[in-house]
């Protein structure tokens, strides 16, 4: 990876002091995070310059939110009011969470799905459970669309990950169901695994005006192919790549980053950001599997950062004062992306053969593991629906 000013340390102060709110000063209202600046004195920069805290005290949440959209990594429920998200994802994992709790605001969405007459009329049990699953996803997604101002991403069945036509058919089916409950396609994303078939499905769906969210991106070839396909959102799991690198070897992309003294997960996301912005792709980039605040500070400027609740709480409670001269640097900018150097092999027009040859063991293993996890969760939901169907009063 080429060196540039944007690859410098995130903080302009080498060891800034951070203070906590005293407990006596905290109230219930102070703990409600709306991801708006509670102290509107953080000066955001659109270039490489630092953004410094102004004349009054502010929080780290205020500062980082001026550079990237911070999204809570949570299945909502108890934390929804405490950290209300600006966007949301409805998935098999979320449905399992809803079904495991006796009383959430989304129970009715699932119960209504299980009472659906269209699903009831399916002769095969597998078709009936699949219908219930789709209805439940959409009903919960519609509820979320009424609660968040941004877009709702809906998981596409991972069992279709290697079936381009199957993915497209499933997305059309989910979109039809969303239309029935009056959720506009502009409010929706469809979350698709980044196999070659998933990337190709994304290209074809985007050509129809349907927004896609490509997930399980663990290599630059996947990220570049996704950008070339025109995916609306590309999600990279920073921490998972680091975890793999700590326990494995033999991946050229990982080893090149480590040899250059870089964290391989952060390096991939920064490289993907620079590629998207240098070559004018429309995709937005999402950082996931953030392990600590240093990860988050190292990615300021990326479009979305999914952060665990413990990090959000720490950001909200960490107060900065003007006398500390505490500054943040936007690490990722479109202007710095233009200075990034890519080699000829990285600028290929990606196709299935080239992608398969270029993906290293890290991407292959983590993609397979992610698919297995999604598939198992989907099956668990369908099995659970089979046990509790029909619901009361049906």
């Amino acid at each position: 990876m080429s060196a540039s000013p944007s690859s410098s340390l995130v903080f302009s102060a080498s060891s800034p002091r951070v203070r906590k709110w005293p407990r006596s000063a905290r109230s219930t209202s102070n703990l409600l995070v709306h991801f708006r600046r509670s102290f509107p004195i953080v000066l955001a920069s659109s270039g490489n310059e630092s953004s410094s805290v102004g004349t009054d005290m502010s929080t780290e949440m205020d500062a980082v939110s001026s550079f990237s959209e911070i999204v809570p990594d949570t299945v909502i429920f108890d934390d929804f009011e405490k950290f209300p998200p600006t966007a949301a994802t409805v998935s098999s994992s979320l449905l399992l969470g809803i079904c495991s709790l006796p009383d959430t605001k989304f129970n009715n969405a699932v119960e209504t799905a299980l009472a659906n007459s269209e699903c009831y009329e399916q002769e095969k049990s597998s078709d009936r459970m699949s219908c219930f699953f789709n209805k439940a996803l959409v009903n919960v997604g519609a509820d979320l669309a009424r609660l968040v101002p941004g877009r709702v991403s809906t998981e596409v069945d991972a069992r279709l990950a290697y079936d381009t036509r199957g993915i497209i058919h499933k997305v059309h089916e989910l979109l039809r169901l969303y239309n029935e409950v009056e959720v506009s396609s502009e409010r929706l994303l469809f979350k698709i695994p980044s196999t070659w078939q998933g990337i190709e499905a994304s290209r074809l769906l985007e050509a129809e005006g349907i927004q896609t969210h490509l997930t399980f991106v663990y290599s630059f070839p996947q990220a570049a192919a996704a950008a070339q396909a025109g995916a609306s959102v590309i999600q990279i799991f920073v921490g998972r790549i680091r975890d793999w690198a700590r326990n494995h070897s033999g991946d050229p992309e990982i080893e090149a980053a480590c040899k250059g003294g870089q964290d391989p997960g952060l390096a991939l996301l920064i490289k993907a950001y620079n590629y998207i912005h240098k070559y004018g792709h429309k995709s937005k980039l999402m950082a996931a599997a953030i392990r600590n605040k240093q990860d988050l500070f190292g990615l300021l400027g990326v479009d979305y950062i999914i952060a665990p609740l413990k990090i959000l709480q720490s950001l909200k409670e960490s107060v900065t004062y003007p006398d500390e001269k505490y500054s943040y640097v936007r690490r990722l900018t479109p202007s710095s992306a233009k200075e990034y150097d890519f080699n000829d092999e990285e600028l290929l027009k990606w196709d299935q053969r080239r992608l398969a040859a270029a993906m290293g063991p890290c991407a292959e293993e983590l993609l397979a593991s992610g698919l297995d996890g999604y598939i198992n969760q989907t099956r668990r939901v369908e099995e659970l629906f089979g046990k509790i169907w029909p619901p009361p009063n049906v």
Side-chain angles (χ1 to χ4, degrees):
M1 176 181 284
S2 62
S4 72
S6 65
S7 62
S8 60
L9 289 175
V10 177
F11 298 113
S12 59
S14 58
S15 59
R17 291 177 291 132
V18 177
R19 299 178 187 172
K20 302 288 186 179
W21 288 106
R23 286 194 178 274
S24 60
R26 298 179 195 170
S27 67
T28 303
S29 60
N30 286 335
L31 293 177
L32 295 179
V33 179
H34 297 284
F35 297 114
R36 301 186 183 99
R37 298 182 196 174
S38 54
F39 306 96
I41 37 66
V42 178
L43 304 177
S45 166
S46 60
N48 293 321
E49 302 84 0
S50 65
S51 175
S52 301
V53 175
T55 57
D56 297 312
M57 65 183 181
S58 180
T59 68
E60 288 184 338
M61 180 67 81
D62 295 323
V64 299
S65 296
S66 69
F67 296 116
S68 300
E69 183 171 332
I70 311 301
V71 181
D73 184 7
T74 173
V75 248
I76 56 188
F77 307 134
D78 293 340
D79 300 305
F80 193 88
E81 299 298 334
K82 189 174 181 181
F83 293 102
T86 56
T89 296
V90 56
S91 63
S92 51
S93 175
L94 179 57
L95 293 183
L96 282 174
I98 293 169
C99 293
S100 68
L101 295 174
D103 185 23
T104 76
K105 63 182 69 181
F106 302 102
N107 283 122
N108 185 64
V110 173
E111 292 172 0
T112 302
L114 292 175
N116 184 267
S117 59
E118 180 183 339
C119 298
Y120 178 79
E121 293 169 358
Q122 299 289 327
E123 293 184 3
K124 292 184 179 179
S125 175
S126 59
D127 292 341
R128 188 183 307 122
M129 292 305 116
S130 178
C131 181
F132 288 148
F133 183 85
N134 292 339
K135 291 282 189 181
L137 280 177
V138 169
N139 287 353
V140 174
D143 283 352
L144 286 169
R146 288 186 280 270
L147 291 169
V148 301
R151 293 177 294 186
V152 174
S153 185
T154 302
E155 179 184 304
V156 175
D157 194 335
R159 291 171 292 193
L160 302 170
Y162 293 96
D163 180 357
T164 297
R165 290 185 178 180
I167 292 170
I168 293 173
H169 176 76
K170 178 64 71 176
V171 169
H172 286 163
E173 184 179 1
L174 292 170
L175 190 56
R176 175 182 65 82
L177 294 175
Y178 272 115
N179 287 336
E180 290 178 359
V181 291
E182 300 181 344
V183 178
S184 167
S185 61
E186 286 77 16
R187 297 289 314 282
L188 299 171
L189 289 161
F190 293 94
K191 192 173 183 181
I192 299 169
S194 293
T195 59
W196 171 255
Q197 292 79 2
I199 293 170
E200 181 67 3
S202 171
R203 181 183 69 81
L204 295 170
L205 288 165
E206 292 282 350
E208 296 180 35
I210 299 171
Q211 300 176 102
T212 60
H213 169 181
L214 284 174
T215 188
F216 296 150
V217 174
Y218 298 108
S219 67
F220 177 74
Q222 284 177 292
Q228 289 178 5
S232 294
V233 176
I234 300 170
Q235 184 172 353
I236 294 177
F237 293 86
V238 172
R240 293 184 192 176
I241 296 170
R242 177 190 305 142
D243 295 342
W244 189 95
R246 285 173 176 165
N247 300 298
H248 301 82
S249 60
D251 188 298
E253 187 176 345
I254 299 291
E255 291 177 354
C258 294
K259 186 176 180 181
Q262 298 171 307
D263 176 276
L266 296 176
L268 172 57
L269 192 137
I270 292 168
K271 189 174 185 178
Y273 177 94
N274 289 332
Y275 178 82
I276 288 168
H277 286 273
K278 182 168 185 174
Y279 296 105
H281 297 290
K282 73 168 191 176
S283 303
K284 302 293 186 182
L285 204 55
M286 176 179 286
I290 300 299
R291 303 291 194 231
N292 51 60
K293 288 200 292 188
Q294 290 304 315
D295 284 349
L296 189 148
F297 294 148
L299 297 172
L300 293 181
V302 72
D303 302 287
Y304 308 104
I305 300 176
I306 301 180
L309 294 176
K310 64 178 182 180
I311 293 179
L312 298 182
Q313 188 69 45
S314 178
L315 291 171
K316 187 63 179 177
E317 294 180 351
S318 297
V319 183
T320 60
Y321 290 83
D323 62 333
E324 294 175 311
K325 306 299 183 186
Y326 189 58
S327 299
Y328 298 85
V329 173
R330 177 173 176 170
R331 184 162 184 172
L332 304 177
T333 68
S335 58
S336 65
K338 294 183 181 359
E339 305 301 320
Y340 194 95
D341 293 327
F342 292 89
N343 62 45
D344 291 340
E345 292 181 356
E346 294 169 334
L347 297 179
L348 293 170
K349 175 64 177 175
W350 293 97
D351 57 26
Q352 184 174 6
R353 179 184 61 80
R354 287 171 171 166
L355 182 66
M359 282 178 60
C362 174
E364 291 175 347
E365 291 176 21
L366 291 178
L367 174 60
S369 175
L371 290 174
D372 286 345
Y374 273 27
I375 290 169
N376 288 337
Q377 287 175 345
T378 299
R379 287 174 175 162
R380 286 175 60 195
V381 173
E382 291 179 347
E383 289 171 2
L384 183 59
F385 284 178
K387 292 177 181 178
I388 64 177
W389 183 86
N393 305 320
V394 174

